[in-house]
Amino acid sequence: MLQGPTPMPGDFIPLMGMLTGVVAMLMVGFTVIRVAQSQIGQAIARRIHGKGAADPELREEVYELREQVTALEHRLAESEERLDFTERLLSRGSQEARPNG
C-alpha cells in the first residue's frame, strides 16, 4: 500500500482561511438580503424611485419650516436695525458729552 505524506497541522491554515472568507461573505449576503426585504429597504427603494418625496405630511412640514425661517429672518433684520439705531444714539450721546477743546 502506498500512502501519501501525512498532512501537517499547518496545511489546514489556508483551507480554514478560505472557509472563513466564504462563511463571512454568506453572512454579509444574507444580511443585505434581509435588510432589503425589510421596511427599511422598502423605504430606501421608495426614496430612490422618488415616491417617498410625494408624502403630503412631509411637504406640509417643510412648508411650515420655511415659513418659520422667513419669520425668523424678518425678526432678525428688525433686531439688527434696532441695534444699529441704538448704537448710533449711544455714540452721538457720548460725542456730545465730551468737552471741546
Side-chain angles (χ1 to χ4, degrees):
M1 253 190 199
L2 284 173
Q3 285 187 339
T6 59
M8 299 296 289
D11 293 340
F12 292 107
I13 292 175
L15 178 64
M16 294 306 288
M18 287 189 296
L19 185 61
T20 302
V22 169
V23 170
M25 291 304 294
L26 287 173
M27 290 174 59
V28 167
F30 179 75
T31 304
V32 168
I33 290 171
R34 293 294 292 179
V35 168
Q37 292 175 346
S38 70
Q39 291 180 351
I40 295 172
Q42 292 171 3
I44 292 171
R46 282 193 304 271
R47 180 62 102 186
I48 289 172
H49 290 286
K51 296 178 184 175
D55 186 10
E57 291 178 16
L58 289 177
R59 288 183 185 264
E60 182 65 28
E61 186 176 352
V62 168
Y63 179 74
E64 290 174 6
L65 289 173
R66 286 183 179 162
E67 286 181 343
Q68 289 178 4
V69 168
T70 302
L72 289 172
E73 287 175 342
H74 181 70
R75 289 177 60 189
L76 178 62
E78 285 182 0
S79 296
E80 288 174 344
E81 288 177 14
R82 290 177 181 181
L83 181 62
D84 289 342
F85 178 74
T86 305
E87 287 175 346
R88 284 193 304 266
L89 282 179
L90 289 174
S91 67
R92 186 181 312 157
S94 65
Q95 289 173 355
E96 290 174 3
R98 290 184 193 157
N100 292 337

